[in-house]
Amino acid sequence: MKTINNIILILIGILSIRGYAIIAGPYSADEHTLRLYHFDGNSNDAAASNALDLTLSNATVTTASYSNFGTALDTFTGGNTAIAYIDEKLVGTYFTGTDGAFTFEAMIKPFIAITAIPNHMEIISGDDEDSSRGWQFRITTAGQLEFNNISASGNQFLAALPTTGDHTYEVGKWYHVAVTYNGQQGTAENLKFYWTKLETETGTAVELASFQMSGDINPNYAPDFAIGNEARNDPGENFEGLIDEVRISSIARGSEDMLFTSNPYIPAFVTHPIDVIAKEPQSAQLTAVFQSPLIPSVRWFKTDSQDDIEMVPSEPDITLTTTYDSSSDTYTTILTLNTAAMSDSGMYYCIVSNSEAHAKSSSAQLQVLGMTAHWSLNIEDFSANTYLDLVGGHYAQATGFPVFTAGADGKSSGAVLINSQNGWAQTEPFDPTLGTRTMTISFWVNWQNPNGDAEDLWMKSSTTENDITAADGIRADDQWHQICAVFDGTVGRVYADGVRVAEGPWPMPQNTTALLNIGSSLDGQQPLTAAMDDLRIYNYPMTDTEVADIYYAISTKSVCILDFTSAFDLTGPDGRPDCRVDLLDFAIVAQGWLDMYNTPDLSGLTADWLSCKLYPTCSQ
C-alpha cells in the first residue's frame, strides 16, 4: 500500500476495455433525477429530494450485481409475487417533468430464455387497482420490449428484442434498458426505446425503436409504483432475474446521457460510500474505492440545500487520505471526521478527478447519534414564558407562571415547580429520534407527598396496549431522583436513580414525529405536581452503564448494575442485590447451607467477601 503522493502512474487498463462498453455509472443524482435506486443492500431512493424508499416483498437486495455496482434487486428467487413497491404516488410530482417528459431506465439480467418467458416481466411500473392506472414498462411473453401508457388509451408500444447481433437477448447477461419521452405530445419519434448489452463495445446507449405517443402519462393519477413487478391487486408479473441502477428522470435523456461514456479516462467507482452511524463524539469515516487510468485527486462534499459544503482537510477535525493498492489497481479514499457532532449528520459524496475526466460517487448518509434535545429547566434558559432547547431548538411553551427552585445539582433556580396550573409545557411537533426510531429520555424529579409514600413509575403507550410499571419506582422523600426511559425499537426499559427497575415489549411507531408534553400528558392532563430538572432526549438506546453515567454526573453516586456483581450478592438493605458481598448475603447462604446443589462453590464466597462491584466507582 502506497500513498497517492508516492505513485507515478502511467496509462493502464485501456487495452482491457476493448470489446466492452465503457460504463460511467453507478449514477449520481443530478438536477434531472427524480428517482434513483442503487439496491446496494437496501431499496432506498438516492434522489436528492422527495425520496421514495421502497418496501420489499419476497424480493432481496443481497445478490451481486454487475462489476462495480454492488448488489441488485432479485425478483426471481422469491417467485412471481416478488416486488419492490410503494403505494399511490402522484405521477406529475414523482415520475415526470413539468412538461410530462421522462426517462425510465434500468440495468437488467434475465434468467429466462426469450422463448420461455412465463409471464410479462415488469421492469418499472405505475399501476393501480382503480382507474389511476399509469404505465407499464416490461418485457412481454413474446420477447418484446413494451411501454404501455395505460392512462391514455391507444398508446401501447412494442419492439421485438434482438435475437442476433451484438445486443442479442441472452440468459445471464447484463443489459441497460430505457424508454424516453420528450413531452411533446403527438410528434414523431417522441418516444424511444434503448437496449444495450453491457459486454459490447459502445460509448452510448443503443436505440432499439422509436414511436409517436399521443398523450402524456396523466400527471394527476396516483398509481402504486413498483420495480420488478406490478403493484396492483396480487402481483404476478415479476421480472425473472435481477434489476439494478433504476433511474427516473424529468427529461428525455439522450443516448450519450445514460450509463455509457466514450471517454476511456473516466474514473470508475468500485465501491461507493455506504451509510455510516457514529455516536457523538466518536470519529466517523466514509470510504470509497475507485480506479483511475490517470493520477487522480479527490474532494469530499456534504450536501446542502444552498450549496454543497466541501470537506477541507485543513479544517479542524477533518482528515482526508487516499491510498493506492497496486495488487488490485484501486485507490481507497477515506474522509474522517475525528470528532463527530450532531451537526455533521447528512449526506456525503466524493468527486474523483484526473486531467481528462471526473466522476462523482453516490451519496451516503452519516447519522450521528447523540443528544437531540435538552431543556435545562433553569431560569437562565427561560425566556418569554418558554423553556429553551439548548440543542435542537425545539422550544417548549410553558403554562401559567412557572416558579423555579433549587435544582438537582444544587443550583439556585435550576429547576421548575410543576402543578396543574403552572409550569407544564408543550413543544411544536418534531421527531426526537431523527429517524432512528430509538430513543433515551432522562430527567430529574423531586416529588413530595405528605404521607411519605412512594409512587409507581408507569409507562403507557397511547397507540398499543403495552404498559411497563416499576412498583414504588419513585420515592416521595423530598430528594432528587433521576428517571430514565430507554426505547430500542422493540423493548422499553425504565430506570430510577441509574438502575434498571422494569422493562417490557415496546414497539416504536413508524412515525415518531409528535408534540412533546413536558410535565404532563396531553394538554396538561395528569400534571406531574413536582419539581423537574434537566430533561434530555437522545436518538439512541443507552446501555445500563450509559444511564448510570448520567446519574453519576449529577449525584456523584455509584449504582449497582447486576451484570457486574458477584454470584454471592444475593440481597442488600432494601432486599435487592447491592453489589456488595457482606453479612446480609452470608445469612441467605447460611439458610440454604444444606442445599449444596443450589449453592455455588463456597470458595467463591470467600474470594468475593466484602468485595464491591458498584459502577463506576466504589470510593463512596
Side-chain angles (χ1 to χ4, degrees):
M1 189 74 70
K2 303 178 182 178
T3 63
I4 188 174
N5 296 325
N6 296 328
I7 296 297
I8 300 177
L9 198 62
I10 62 173
L11 291 176
I12 56 175
I14 303 302
L15 294 178
S16 66
I17 293 173
R18 183 170 298 279
Y20 294 87
I22 303 174
I23 308 299
Y27 292 129
S28 299
D30 61 18
E31 66 272 24
H32 304 299
T33 304
L34 297 174
R35 313 269 66 82
L36 180 57
Y37 300 95
H38 299 301
F39 294 116
D40 289 339
N42 60 54
S43 53
N44 295 341
D45 186 356
S49 61
N50 294 325
L52 297 181
D53 295 343
L54 304 182
T55 298
L56 298 177
S57 178
N58 297 322
T60 63
V61 286
T62 57
T63 304
S65 184
Y66 189 74
S67 178
N68 299 338
F69 280 80
T71 57
L73 174 68
D74 180 354
T75 53
F76 173 75
T77 306
N80 65 1
T81 60
I83 190 173
Y85 72 96
I86 188 169
D87 289 336
E88 297 183 350
K89 293 300 175 182
L90 198 65
V91 167
T93 300
Y94 295 99
F95 307 116
T96 64
T98 55
D99 60 352
F102 61 81
T103 297
F104 299 157
E105 56 182 314
M107 289 167 48
I108 61 172
K109 182 180 181 179
F111 290 164
I112 300 294
I114 197 169
T115 56
I117 298 174
N119 50 256
H120 297 322
M121 301 195 302
E122 299 283 351
I123 302 170
I124 304 170
S125 72
D127 210 343
D128 205 88
E129 296 85 357
D130 58 24
S131 59
S132 290
R133 301 191 65 188
W135 76 91
Q136 296 166 329
F137 182 41
R138 63 190 183 182
I139 295 174
T140 70
T141 56
Q144 299 166 305
L145 189 62
E146 176 187 16
F147 180 78
N148 186 6
N149 180 358
I150 311 172
S151 72
S153 61
N155 284 278
Q156 181 182 16
F157 306 96
L158 297 159
L161 291 174
T163 54
T164 60
D166 290 342
H167 303 281
T168 184
Y169 179 109
E170 292 184 72
V171 173
K173 300 296 184 180
W174 277 101
Y175 299 84
H176 172 267
V177 59
V179 57
T180 69
Y181 169 64
N182 64 13
Q184 300 176 31
Q185 303 180 50
T187 60
E189 300 185 350
N190 61 3
L191 187 81
K192 294 183 177 182
F193 287 173
Y194 295 86
W195 175 268
T196 312
K197 183 182 286 185
L198 299 194
E199 294 183 3
T200 55
E201 185 174 359
T202 182
T204 62
V206 176
E207 184 176 329
L208 178 66
S210 62
F211 308 92
Q212 179 174 315
M213 190 160 75
S214 64
D216 300 343
I217 303 174
N218 192 319
N220 299 314
Y221 281 10
D224 297 337
F225 173 62
I227 296 175
N229 214 321
E230 59 176 354
R232 70 188 188 101
N233 297 318
D234 297 323
E237 297 188 350
N238 65 306
F239 184 83
E240 304 276 352
L242 303 180
I243 300 178
D244 201 4
E245 209 61 19
V246 172
R247 182 173 68 170
I248 297 179
S249 305
S250 60
I251 60 171
R253 293 187 184 269
S255 61
E256 75 291 341
D257 191 21
M258 295 189 190
L259 196 63
F260 311 95
T261 178
S262 58
N263 186 347
Y265 303 104
I266 191 167
F269 282 93
V270 176
T271 304
H272 285 260
I274 61 174
D275 294 347
V276 173
I277 298 175
K279 188 177 294 184
E280 191 179 39
Q282 298 173 352
S283 65
Q285 289 189 338
L286 292 110
T287 302
V289 180
F290 64 92
Q291 294 179 316
S292 175
L294 300 174
I295 297 175
S297 61
V298 182
R299 300 166 67 194
W300 281 86
F301 295 85
K302 180 184 179 184
T303 61
D304 184 76
S305 58
Q306 300 299 319
D307 193 15
D308 291 355
I309 303 167
E310 184 170 1
M311 300 288 101
V312 181
S314 59
E315 294 290 332
D317 291 329
I318 296 177
T319 303
L320 175 59
T321 61
T322 303
T323 56
Y324 175 68
D325 182 358
S326 58
S327 64
S328 61
D329 186 27
T330 58
Y331 295 87
T332 299
T333 177
I334 301 175
L335 171 67
T336 303
L337 305 180
N338 300 309
T339 307
M342 295 296 291
S343 58
D344 293 323
S345 294
M347 304 298 293
Y348 291 79
Y349 65 90
C350 65
I351 295 178
V352 177
S353 303
N354 59 41
S355 60
E356 298 294 331
H358 69 272
K360 179 182 175 183
S361 75
S362 60
S363 296
Q365 182 182 33
L366 169 61
Q367 186 171 63
V368 181
L369 305 180
M371 192 186 305
T372 60
H374 181 202
W375 297 272
S376 71
L377 305 181
N378 188 319
I379 195 171
E380 294 177 356
D381 301 319
F382 181 74
S383 177
N385 219 46
T386 299
Y387 302 122
L388 305 183
D389 175 5
L390 306 179
V391 173
H394 307 291
Y395 299 161
Q397 187 69 37
T399 300
F401 301 95
V403 176
F404 294 87
T405 186
D409 58 359
K411 187 173 183 178
S412 176
S413 298
V416 65
L417 293 169
I418 296 175
N419 57 43
S420 60
Q421 301 299 319
N422 304 288
W424 56 270
Q426 189 177 77
T427 70
E428 293 296 319
F430 75 102
D431 180 7
T433 78
L434 297 184
T436 66
R437 297 180 57 242
T438 62
M439 184 168 55
T440 298
I441 302 173
S442 172
F443 61 93
W444 290 77
V445 64
N446 186 330
W447 178 59
Q448 301 178 43
N449 187 318
N451 299 322
D453 295 335
E455 186 69 44
D456 294 346
L457 277 177
W458 183 44
M459 192 163 68
K460 179 175 176 59
S461 169
S462 61
T463 57
T464 66
E465 296 303 319
N466 296 307
D467 294 346
I468 302 176
T469 303
D472 294 340
I474 179 171
R475 296 189 296 275
D477 55 3
D478 197 20
Q479 300 294 319
W480 282 101
H481 299 282
Q482 184 220 23
I483 305 300
C484 193
V486 174
F487 308 92
D488 69 4
T490 58
V491 173
R493 304 193 299 270
V494 180
Y495 295 77
D497 291 337
V499 176
R500 190 194 311 184
V501 293
E503 64 181 302
W506 196 277
M508 289 288 277
Q510 290 294 324
N511 184 0
T512 48
T513 297
L515 295 166
L516 184 69
N517 297 278
I518 299 175
S520 73
S521 61
L522 184 63
D523 296 329
Q525 300 177 51
Q526 300 175 314
L528 182 62
T529 63
M532 188 174 180
D533 192 10
D534 198 47
L535 171 59
R536 306 181 183 195
I537 301 180
Y538 302 80
N539 66 336
Y540 65 94
M542 285 192 172
T543 63
D544 289 353
T545 55
E546 288 173 321
V547 173
D549 286 336
I550 296 179
Y551 176 68
Y552 184 81
I554 297 294
S555 68
T556 68
K557 295 179 180 179
S558 295
V559 301
C560 180
I561 298 176
L562 296 184
D563 290 344
F564 298 164
T565 195
S566 165
F568 292 96
D569 178 21
L570 304 175
T571 189
D574 62 356
R576 296 181 296 181
D578 60 353
C579 285
R580 300 179 187 274
V581 178
D582 52 23
L583 287 173
L584 292 174
D585 305 298
F586 182 77
I588 292 180
V589 172
Q591 290 174 6
W593 191 263
L594 296 178
D595 189 10
M596 297 301 293
Y597 291 103
N598 293 328
T599 302
D601 183 358
L602 294 183
S603 63
L605 175 63
T606 302
D608 290 345
W609 183 248
L610 298 182
S611 66
C612 173
K613 303 291 185 179
L614 292 172
Y615 177 87
T617 176
C618 280
S619 61
Q620 63 193 54

